[in-house]
Amino acid sequence: MIFPPVSTLHEHRAHRKAAHDDPERYWLTYAHALDWMQCPSKALDAAGLWFPDGRLNASVNCLDRHLEMRGNATALIWQGEEESHVLHLSYRQLHAQVCRMANVLRDHGIMPGDRVAIHLPGVPEGVVAMLACARIGAIHVVLFGGFSPEAIADRLADSGAGVIITADVGRRGAKRIPFKATIDAALDHGAGTAIRHVLVVAVTSETVPMTEGRDRFLSPLLSAASDLCTPEPMDANAPLFLLYTSGSTGKPKGIVHGTGGYLLWAAYTHALVFAHTPGDIFWCTADIGWITGHSYVVYGPLANGGTILLFEGMPSHPRPGRWWQVIEKHRVTSFYTSPTAIRALMTEGDTIPKRYDLFSLRVLGSVGEPISQEAWGWFHATIGGGRCPLADTWWQTETGGIMISLVPGAIEARPGAAAFPLPGVTALLLDASGRILEGEAEGMLCIAGSWPGRALGIWGNDAHFHATYLRPFPGYYFTGDGARRDRDGYFWLTGRVDDVINVSGHRIGSAEVEDALAMEPAIAECAAVGVPHALKGQAIVVFIVPNGPASDDIQARAARAVTTRLGRYAAPERVYVVTDLPRTRSGKIVRRLLRKIASGDIEGFGDLSTLANPAAVTILIEAMRREASSA
Ligand code: WT7
């Protein structure tokens, strides 16, 4: 069975109604879009588990079941950084590679439920490794290539991964990114990790140090392994993967996604939002280290039997227009990217994309941050030629897949709006005291009830999941985002309402940045906030109170503390050295005021008498004025 098309307003309404009136029946019916080893008899149980008695294997759904009909169809096109580096893998070939990798993992002692870390650049082995884990019931933990060794060590320790798959180096334009060296450094750091084996993909012929007994190159192991591997039947609620993401408090948490509900949600939303049809060539530009890469590079499109494109390079290397050239060359039909990328590409102007034949494109998508009307308009007109629907898709790591989006054909777009909740999603706006707002309103975005893609929890800390998402507004899932609903019911996302910062689509907790700063002995106190940034969406601004007299290099030290602990992607845009930070009487730093000041808005602070130290604000404003006049 395939998902039925939803391409008219009437169908959209009918699906929303059916999913709302009888979710049990709706989702049991659509569960048949997957291949089960044991069909579920129930959609959602009282404990909140989806398809509780179903058993399946995600790799079988993404590979084996397509072999008969589409075995020779292309599953994956890989375009390397170098123009001549192109690989086409049919479903049969991808299946064989996944089986080999799965056998190698089994040979290294990996059992169902074990965690396997994956830290790779944009090479096909990333997709192969994820599906290989799924095949043998191992839980993959993909770690973003931009994490620092310390950030990786934390995640390895928390997940308890026993094996890591990495590369010698990654290619980034003319540069080489030291993947293996980063893992070596992480393992030197992390006495707390359980890593026994490091399996290395040789991306280039560069030599890298290998630790005897621990490190092995993958390619001889893969060639020696069988290309058949019996898939492990998994409970629908057995974890498929962990993925680390940041919240407003504490350390990054390992969000756990299950097998059945997650896969169904990835496939259902992919089919609906991208109106997937066989023969489509789907390009999602996200790194597999993020949830977008999990759901829309790998699981959604492959479960639906699509062709995925994986590009190793960058948008404008070796020259502007590289992405458009990739679309032209590989006849991409569906293109999914981020507002950050669009903003950057927009600055290159219209003449560059106009040089390419982009007529293969049929549908466009945007994800990760609010998209401005201007960026939406440019993407739609210049890349989509005004003829491709452009879906702004709102969702989160925790939701598993798209939640609020345009459904092309069914809904008319409004530039900058994420449009409507998908069938099966009940989105609500609440005010600060938890009252439901009706009609045209602005409030906290919450979701009522459950949906199949909802995360199972936080690795090793289910109480935290409850406290973060379910306690703030009892009875609802709280997203952490604010949104406005217009008179016609369209949702417009307005950004996070908590202390999560979104830099170029990377989600960073202010607490994470502050914890990193606190490790620097020269810093006594600190606060990190997000401020609007024309290209990045938001940028990190840091306030520090030095420990004693400030040294000349204190700003550089502060920045280094952050990049060492987290990675370059979290580098602060500006570091202010101050004497005091505004606090409430109970001692909490008032980030709201800092955000306002750092955004250059230094008027209208109202009554500051509730602060323990109102003078801190006056001093800050003075410092800003001085800086503005000296600039
Ligand atoms: C946060 C989730 C969803 C996959 C990539 C990011 C923001 C995401 C949109 C959008 C406005 C958006 C939200 C959300 N966000 N998509 N279309 N419009 N904001 O996943 O790293 O878990 O981040 O990204 O603030 O809560 P993530």
Side-chain angles (χ1 to χ4, degrees), residues 555-584:
Q555 280 153 313
R557 279 194 192 202
R560 202 166 340 111
V562 177
T563 53
T564 309
R565 195 79 195 93
L566 276 60
R568 291 277 326 146
Y569 71 102
E573 185 81 6
R574 277 175 280 146
V575 178
Y576 291 111
V577 183
V578 298
T579 51
D580 200 4
L581 295 168
R583 293 177 182 284
T584 60

Side-chain angles (χ1 to χ4, degrees), residues 8-73:
T8 64
L9 180 59
H10 177 76
E11 284 166 349
H12 194 269
R13 286 204 178 124
H15 276 263
R16 278 182 76 174
K17 185 169 179 341
H20 180 265
D21 294 352
D22 193 349
E24 190 62 27
R25 179 167 163 184
Y26 186 82
W27 290 115
L28 265 187
T29 307
Y30 289 120
H32 289 292
L34 298 181
D35 263 18
W36 297 84
M37 292 157 160
Q38 183 182 308
C39 263
S41 65
K42 181 127 196 64
L44 181 63
D45 75 6
L49 292 177
W50 284 91
F51 313 115
D53 59 352
R55 288 171 82 72
L56 77 168
N57 182 285
S59 88
V60 167
N61 276 279
C62 291
L63 301 167
D64 305 50
R65 66 163 170 160
H66 305 311
L67 291 182
E68 199 180 322
M69 299 287 288
R70 309 180 41 80
N72 295 324

